[in-house]
Amino acid sequence: MNLDARIRRIKAFAVSPEAERELRRELSERLGELEPLGAENVDSGTSLRSYVYTLPDDPDEHLVRRTVQDLNREFSRPSFRAHIYSWGRHVDVFKGVGYPSDVYRAYEMERRLKGADLWVSHTRQPTNSPGRLPIWSHPFSSGEWVVVHNGDVSSFGANMSFLESAGFRSFVGTDSEVIAFLLDHLTSSEGLPVEEACRVLVNPFEDEGDDGSFQGMTVRFRGARLDGPFTVVAGHSDGRDVYMAVLADRFKFRPVVVGEDENYVYAASEEAQIRAVSPNARVWTLEPGSFMLASSSRGILIPGRRRVDLFVGPQGSIARPEPVGRVVDASELGYQQINGILRECVRKGIREVSLLNVRGQRYIGVGVEGTLYVRIYGTPGNCLANLNESIDFEVFGSVQDDVGDVMHGGSVVVHGDARDVLGQALQGGTVLVRGNAGNRCGIQMREYSEKRPYLIVGGRVDDYLGEYMAGGVIVVLGLGYEGTDVPVTGRFVGTGIVGGRIYVRGLVPRSHIGYLPPRRDVLQYLRGLHLDGELDSATFSRLSSCEHLDPETLSRHLPPDLLRRVMKLFEHKYFRRLLVEERHLTDQELKELGPVLRLFGMKFSMGREIERVLEDVFTVIRPVEAKPQRPAVSEEG
Amino acid sequence: MRLYSKSVSIEGRALSYLRQMAGAEGRVPGEPPIVSMGSTAPPFVEDPQSVLDHIVSDGAQVTRPSIDPYREPVETSIYLFDGDVRLSMPMGISSLNDLPMELVETVVRTCYRMGVIADLSGLGAEPSSVAGREDYVISGADGVGSTAARNVQVIITGRDDVDPALVRRVVSSGRRPVARVPATDEVELYTALASSGFKAIVIDEDLEADREVELEVAVSLCDKALRSSGTGTKALRYTVNLIATSLRLRGSGDVFKLLGLGAEVVLLKDCWRLGIDLQRESNPRVVAERLEHLLLGMQKELKLLAGAAGASSLHSTVCGNRELFRAVELDDRTLSVLGVKAAGSW
């Protein structure tokens, strides 16, 4: 994206010189004089060539949009002959099939790298398309928007219907293109500001915010709301500024991190990618169902998370002690080589290894057995310490997604943040994270025989903490969030939990615990009871002013027969009431959790703070019919 | 032209499921009786009884995971009339005209608590319980006559019946005109209704017309016709709500498919009466309880169906999303009228 570019460029693929000539003729008939700039790429692995034209007459934007739609439809049937894939002033799109390096060469990108306000790129097989032609390649563009997308949108058909009624007539058939069309349509034809268009697309849950102010928008623009997995990075220019928008779906089914340094704003799937460009950037992840919006002149406008300042707090101050044991420069090593070195160390009886310059290598430690202490400097890739049984990892940086999956023993100590799905099916050993953890942290944790896992997060976590949990212990300390109005957990804490315990320091809003029916459904039922004459006005008005309509609040206000009736809305055959207590830790709990929390204090030089934390009030969440607890096993680090 | 007969009897397994959900049979009221990937459902094993039976949900797969609606949100709420009225689920209760008034009152009250519509169509006298629940009732008497309901029904069988003056009278009385029309392929009727100011169109397969088609075909035609008049959010489709009903609808599977073809609400007729076993049970307290359970059970089924398709919102993701469906053994003409692709196509 380039703000200074002022001339409209039309870029198209054509299957043959004849098809190109025909397209050029049609274009100039409808839009006026065209200036061909020739073919752009010579070989992107297919027989298609890309052609570029400029439009000196500068026709009306809506006429161009309609012409592009009409011609793309005409030239796609009966068989595909040509396709216009970009037609903005500020947008310049390069699409190809092959490895990124192939596409880079085909377009001779070196000589184009003279500068831009925003670069967006993506490599993947586009969803639900054969992908063999570059018409299906990312990025997708419409007007002054460009979009890349990781995911598979389930609202695709509903979005298509909406776009069809908005006059879009030609689709290459992948959902990513639809996202570009939606953003273009909402901002250019429906007149929405960029931030409102983004908010419509990310599709916040009905109960979210609950002030009703946005409800009308979501109903009116329901055809533009996205559902199913997506991370979208979009670029846009309104001619005055260049915008970068990053969208995360409501379940956060796809990874995304954003970052910032003095000069740039970044977005990527993995933190290691940002760190490769800017080692000291401030990096954070988006909350589910939110978006980041930045502009090149004004910087970050909407961070996609409440209190980013607190979230990125510890990043700058991560101490990096001297390497110990065998020192390995991992910058040029693949994960198999790294794991080979770790195995060799175990064989040779080397007890300590330091991996330097780790840059996103996945699966570190997977399949390595034996006793070993591994220091990691840099950002290890996804799936660190999966299936780990006895290795102790200490990471002086952040970790990415899926750390400690099905880990049975050993430990992972992280001085930065952890991203999504930390400690999935964790069933032994200890995971300590100094900073924050992302979505679906500690899901399906369990314990067996003498194994009981401990997962301690120093900062805060996003949604679905401990979902389906069956055993083990999660502690969220909320360090740094004291005295703020930011809850230290996201929503749906402990849904589907059948065993184990979750300790969150401080108070957790009741609406964040478990999965409750929509507040509006419950209120409707109560209002009905009131109209029926079964519920007195005073109780009804008291309840309708309650922020959370959870079972406990209801049971405080309703007589048993009415409570039984309302609870129909909550109960189902998998429903379990959660036991939620707000209290100090018991002596037995202090005996069990004290050692692991003190280890946390020691590792992160927070000994004194941890002693104070042990005296604080915790919200303790567990299933009412939990399995009988075994006597505490104290695990010394 | 119809492919299947209008009359389908709700019996056997379909009936038993409804009764179990209502609590008229079995031990777990309010619960879908089965959850399973495989089935003996039509059209693969049992004989199809309707066009709906040829439509199958494409389901989620690896890159688009299914959603477990017991632990994660699948939103079933529907906003009608420009967002003025919120339903907890996309359903309503119809066929009340031959019930004793005491039971009609019970149904109106229960519908309100559950956040669904009570359709008083065909009812001579209006129950007193409409007062206070006006938004959740469609009036019984035809036309502007005396009704407390906010949603005033006008029965229209052809384009000649559309009377803009009547529509204006209803609107100026502070109420919403709702057209009740037969299932027809006369799409000009649908656009005429929407452009003359009706706020909702109820396509009732049990009304008779010259050019009758299957309810599912009519719903899809209506949805498509309204989408292609006007642009974007100014399309007629976004000014009017589409409601479908028929005696032959059997349960949430049919509801889900009609939503995907464009309906926003489905009014249940025989299936709720059979489900709660009205023939043998007339105690208002029991009827109310069974109706609540039946609706909650069907709501869970709708969530399971949406979740299986990777959809977490019925209103924005499922309504009018034919891409969620594929059709088995349907002729090309019907496929194109429905706008549903044949199984196996991408």
Side-chain angles (χ1 to χ4, degrees):
Chain A
M1 305 273 336
N2 217 322
L3 187 59
D4 296 333
R6 295 286 163 188
I7 299 170
R8 193 180 290 290
R9 264 183 311 259
I10 290 195
K11 301 180 90 167
F13 289 115
V15 294
S16 64
E18 297 76 50
E20 189 271 332
R21 272 197 298 279
E22 198 189 336
L23 177 70
R24 195 177 349 141
R25 195 174 55 242
E26 291 287 337
L27 272 171
S28 58
E29 257 172 38
R30 295 167 201 223
L31 298 178
E33 196 192 332
L34 279 188
E35 211 166 279
L37 296 185
E40 203 166 41
N41 67 328
V42 281
D43 179 19
S44 59
T46 71
S47 58
L48 297 194
R49 293 178 75 163
S50 160
Y51 299 88
V52 189
Y53 318 96
T54 58
L55 288 168
D57 286 356
D58 201 14
D60 171 66
E61 169 149 348
H62 293 286
L63 174 67
V64 182
R65 182 178 285 106
R66 210 166 45 241
T67 304
V68 168
Q69 285 294 319
D70 290 348
L71 291 182
N72 276 349
R73 192 177 162 88
E74 266 173 46
F75 281 79
S76 68
R77 48 185 66 183
S79 66
F80 167 68
R81 284 168 295 148
H83 180 78
I84 299 163
Y85 60 88
S86 160
W87 46 277
R89 287 186 175 87
H90 307 288
V91 165
D92 202 358
V93 174
F94 308 95
K95 291 153 92 82
V97 177
Y99 287 105
S101 53
D102 301 337
V103 178
Y104 185 88
R105 266 196 303 277
Y107 279 98
E108 300 173 314
M109 291 303 284
E110 262 149 18
R111 63 181 180 84
R112 300 174 194 277
L113 290 175
K114 51 183 182 283
D117 293 297
L118 174 67
W119 284 93
V120 179
S121 69
H122 193 34
T123 170
R124 96 188 286 250
Q125 159 99 10
T127 325
N128 297 329
S129 87
R132 63 192 141 72
L133 295 176
I135 59 167
W136 290 295
S137 300
H138 286 258
F140 291 92
S141 179
S142 182
E144 302 296 349
W145 280 93
V146 66
V147 158
V148 298
H149 159 227
N150 172 14
D152 184 353
V153 167
S154 60
S155 56
F156 177 54
N159 304 139
M160 288 256 292
S161 304
F162 174 70
L163 287 167
E164 276 162 1
S165 67
F168 286 82
R169 294 151 48 80
S170 169
F171 301 89
V172 295
T174 175
D175 49 354
S176 313
E177 178 193 44
V178 159
I179 297 170
F181 288 171
L182 289 171
L183 286 167
D184 184 29
H185 173 71
L186 292 186
T187 51
S188 63
S189 302
E190 304 275 358
L192 292 193
V194 173
E195 55 269 36
E196 292 216 351
C198 291
R199 201 166 162 204
V200 167
L201 261 68
V202 297
N203 194 4
F205 282 113
E206 189 188 15
D207 270 2
E208 231 160 283
D210 220 5
D211 55 2
S213 61
F214 195 61
Q215 204 60 59
M217 291 276 291
T218 59
V219 175
R220 188 166 153 225
F221 292 106
R222 59 185 180 272
R225 288 156 63 181
L226 299 180
D227 198 357
F230 59 87
T231 288
V232 172
V233 179
H236 173 60
S237 177
D238 56 5
R240 297 181 297 277
D241 208 343
V242 170
Y243 294 90
M244 176 190 202
V246 186
L247 281 54
D249 72 68
R250 37 164 64 177
F251 295 97
K252 199 149 177 265
F253 278 137
R254 290 293 183 273
V256 61
V257 281
V258 294
E260 184 187 25
D261 60 22
E262 303 76 49
N263 301 312
Y264 296 103
V265 175
Y266 306 89
S269 296
E270 303 186 20
E271 180 163 345
Q273 297 163 325
I274 295 179
R275 297 258 172 247
V277 184
S278 177
N280 297 313
R282 289 156 26 101
V283 175
W284 64 95
T285 182
L286 301 183
E287 286 176 15
S290 71
F291 62 95
M292 188 281 279
L293 184 66
S295 98
S296 61
S297 70
R298 289 176 288 161
I300 305 261
L301 304 172
I302 296 170
R305 153 168 305 284
R306 289 170 77 188
R307 295 300 301 266
V308 167
D309 56 326
L310 299 176
F311 192 83
V312 296
Q315 281 179 15
S317 56
I318 297 176
R320 288 183 172 76
E322 286 299 308
V324 295
R326 179 167 170 192
V327 179
V328 178
D329 181 354
S331 52
E332 301 295 320
L333 301 179
Y335 78 91
Q336 283 166 322
Q337 290 164 298
I338 293 176
N339 286 340
I341 290 169
L342 298 182
R343 256 181 238 111
E344 186 193 315
C345 290
V346 172
R347 214 167 43 240
K348 290 184 176 166
I350 298 171
R351 305 296 291 266
E352 298 183 328
V353 184
S354 293
L355 301 173
L356 310 187
N357 305 315
V358 173
R359 289 181 191 157
Q361 289 95 335
R362 296 183 177 185
Y363 316 113
I364 292 178
V366 177
V368 182
E369 290 170 24
T371 314
L372 200 59
Y373 168 67
V374 182
R375 278 191 173 177
I376 295 177
Y377 299 80
T379 312
N382 298 351
C383 310
L384 170 71
N386 285 7
L387 302 150
N388 184 32
E389 297 203 359
S390 51
I391 300 176
D392 295 311
F393 293 93
E394 185 159 4
V395 182
F396 299 97
S398 291
V399 295
Q400 302 188 158
D401 296 334
D402 202 29
V403 169
D405 198 325
V406 199
M407 184 168 116
H408 291 252
S411 65
V412 179
V413 174
V414 180
H415 287 258
D417 293 326
R419 302 303 172 207
D420 297 341
V421 210
L422 168 71
Q424 169 169 226
L426 183 67
Q427 37 209 287
T430 308
V431 176
L432 308 177
V433 177
R434 167 64 188 88
N436 309 284
N439 223 27
R440 293 180 204 270
C441 176
I443 63 172
Q444 302 183 51
M445 267 173 64
R446 58 196 72 167
E447 56 189 56
Y448 67 97
S449 73
E450 292 307 304
K451 301 269 190 189
R452 178 182 289 168
Y454 292 86
L455 171 57
I456 319 288
V457 177
R460 60 151 285 153
V461 298
D462 287 333
D463 295 351
Y464 301 106
L465 175 72
E467 186 182 29
Y468 302 105
M469 192 177 175
V473 177
I474 298 176
V475 183
V476 179
L477 295 174
L479 296 168
Y481 288 86
E482 299 88 349
T484 69
D485 63 346
V486 182
V488 298
T489 70
R491 296 154 311 158
F492 315 118
V493 175
T495 59
I497 176 174
V498 293
R501 287 159 288 150
I502 300 173
Y503 296 83
V504 181
R505 190 164 68 109
L507 307 183
V508 181
R510 291 295 162 130
S511 58
H512 283 29
I513 301 175
Y515 168 49
L516 305 176
R519 183 177 187 278
R520 289 175 171 88
D521 284 11
V522 182
L523 206 54
Q524 175 85 19
Y525 197 95
L526 294 172
R527 199 181 298 117
L529 287 177
H530 175 51
L531 280 176
D532 297 345
E534 309 232 26
L535 180 63
D536 64 276
S537 303
T539 313
F540 173 63
S541 77
R542 225 177 5 255
L543 277 169
S544 51
S545 64
C546 285
E547 201 183 333
H548 313 303
L549 291 174
D550 58 284
E552 208 176 276
T553 306
L554 292 169
S555 60
R556 271 203 306 275
H557 292 92
L558 291 176
D561 59 321
L562 293 188
L563 179 66
R564 186 187 57 78
R565 290 179 62 184
V566 182
M567 281 304 290
K568 272 207 272 283
L569 304 180
F570 292 75
E571 286 162 0
H572 52 76
K573 61 183 161 187
Y574 306 107
F575 178 80
R576 258 169 208 266
R577 261 182 99 155
L578 296 173
L579 187 63
V580 182
E581 301 164 299
E582 288 152 2
R583 57 170 173 77
H584 294 281
L585 299 180
T586 63
D587 288 347
Q588 196 194 339
E589 286 167 333
L590 282 170
K591 201 170 149 209
E592 180 189 4
L593 298 178
V596 67
L597 286 172
R598 288 192 177 99
L599 175 66
F600 182 98
M602 193 190 84
K603 282 288 183 189
F604 304 127
S605 314
M606 311 181 76
R608 270 202 306 258
E609 271 176 276
I610 289 301
E611 292 308 319
R612 278 199 298 277
V613 160
L614 287 171
E615 293 170 12
D616 275 343
V617 167
F618 281 78
T619 303
V620 186
I621 301 157
R622 57 196 155 105
V624 168
E625 306 141 84
K627 289 179 291 185
Q629 294 287 323
R630 285 183 288 108
V633 184
S634 98
E635 289 205 348
E636 306 292 341
Chain B
M1 193 194 61
R2 301 182 60 96
L3 293 176
Y4 286 95
S5 145
K6 240 186 195 183
S7 65
V8 169
S9 56
I10 302 169
E11 57 193 10
R13 208 180 40 186
L15 177 59
S16 167
Y17 288 168
L18 291 166
R19 293 228 158 117
Q20 288 178 56
M21 283 193 287
E25 265 177 30
R27 292 180 183 183
V28 267
E31 289 297 328
I34 54 155
V35 176
S36 152
M37 295 297 281
S39 85
T40 58
F44 302 104
V45 180
E46 289 168 8
D47 287 336
Q49 293 182 297
S50 67
V51 173
L52 285 176
D53 281 346
H54 290 271
I55 297 174
V56 293
S57 178
D58 203 21
Q61 30 77 23
V62 185
T63 58
R64 195 179 76 206
S66 56
I67 299 160
D68 166 4
Y70 287 101
R71 282 103 183 172
E72 305 197 357
V74 172
E75 296 177 320
T76 59
S77 58
I78 298 282
Y79 282 82
L80 298 181
F81 310 124
D82 305 318
D84 283 355
V85 177
R86 177 192 183 276
L87 304 190
S88 304
M89 53 190 105
M91 289 186 283
I93 295 298
S94 192
S95 268
L96 304 174
N97 52 331
D98 60 344
L99 296 186
M101 187 50 84
E102 188 190 25
L103 278 187
V104 176
E105 301 273 10
T106 298
V107 170
V108 169
R109 290 172 171 189
T110 307
C111 283
Y112 183 85
R113 286 194 303 275
M114 300 308 292
V116 303
I117 294 260
D119 172 25
L120 305 184
S121 188
L123 214 66
E126 191 157 284
S128 60
S129 51
V130 174
R133 303 175 181 82
E134 301 85 355
D135 277 332
Y136 290 81
V137 174
I138 297 178
S139 75
D142 183 29
V144 247
S146 73
T147 174
R150 282 286 290 283
N151 314 303
V152 176
Q153 164 179 274
V154 183
I155 294 177
I156 290 174
T157 50
R159 272 171 78 192
D160 298 343
D161 293 354
V162 183
D163 175 3
L166 175 64
V167 174
R168 278 196 298 275
R169 272 209 306 286
V170 175
V171 173
S172 66
S173 71
R175 288 173 293 175
R176 311 180 186 99
V178 174
R180 194 178 197 97
V181 299
T184 166
D185 62 357
E186 197 188 344
V187 290
E188 300 81 9
L189 171 63
Y190 303 128
T191 47
L193 293 169
S195 42
S196 64
F198 278 99
K199 301 306 289 176
I201 299 173
V202 181
I203 302 183
D204 186 340
E205 195 177 34
D206 306 310
L207 290 181
E208 284 177 14
D210 293 338
R211 286 168 57 180
E212 277 183 39
V213 289
E214 253 100 1
L215 176 68
E216 42 273 52
V217 172
V219 164
S220 190
L221 285 172
C222 177
D223 176 63
K224 288 200 286 186
L226 298 181
R227 279 181 196 285
S228 55
S229 347
T231 354
T233 51
K234 277 140 213 126
L236 283 180
R237 185 64 191 86
Y238 291 94
T239 67
V240 63
N241 293 116
L242 179 49
I243 301 174
T245 186
S246 169
L247 281 165
R248 70 174 157 96
L249 300 179
R250 294 155 297 184
S252 42
D254 289 347
V255 174
F256 187 72
K257 292 172 186 177
L258 286 166
L259 294 184
L261 294 172
E264 281 149 315
V265 180
V266 176
L267 302 176
L268 311 177
K269 285 184 170 176
D270 263 10
C271 69
W272 77 269
R273 298 171 60 123
L274 291 165
I276 69 177
D277 203 0
L278 263 189
Q279 246 172 351
R280 277 184 292 189
E281 184 59 66
S282 59
N283 177 337
R285 201 187 50 77
V286 178
V287 167
E289 173 136 68
R290 285 187 181 177
L291 184 52
E292 286 187 5
H293 277 137
L294 178 65
L295 286 168
L296 286 168
M298 288 181 69
Q299 183 186 32
K300 288 186 188 111
E301 288 189 317
L302 288 172
K303 287 182 178 189
L304 285 163
L305 288 164
S312 67
S313 161
L314 288 183
H315 202 179
S316 69
T317 309
V318 175
C319 286
N321 188 349
R322 296 163 180 82
E323 193 59 36
L324 295 177
F325 299 144
R326 290 296 183 267
V328 180
E329 291 167 4
L330 272 186
D331 60 279
D332 286 352
R333 205 193 128 270
T334 312
L335 284 177
S336 121
V337 171
L338 291 173
V340 174
K341 292 174 183 166
S345 36
W346 62 275

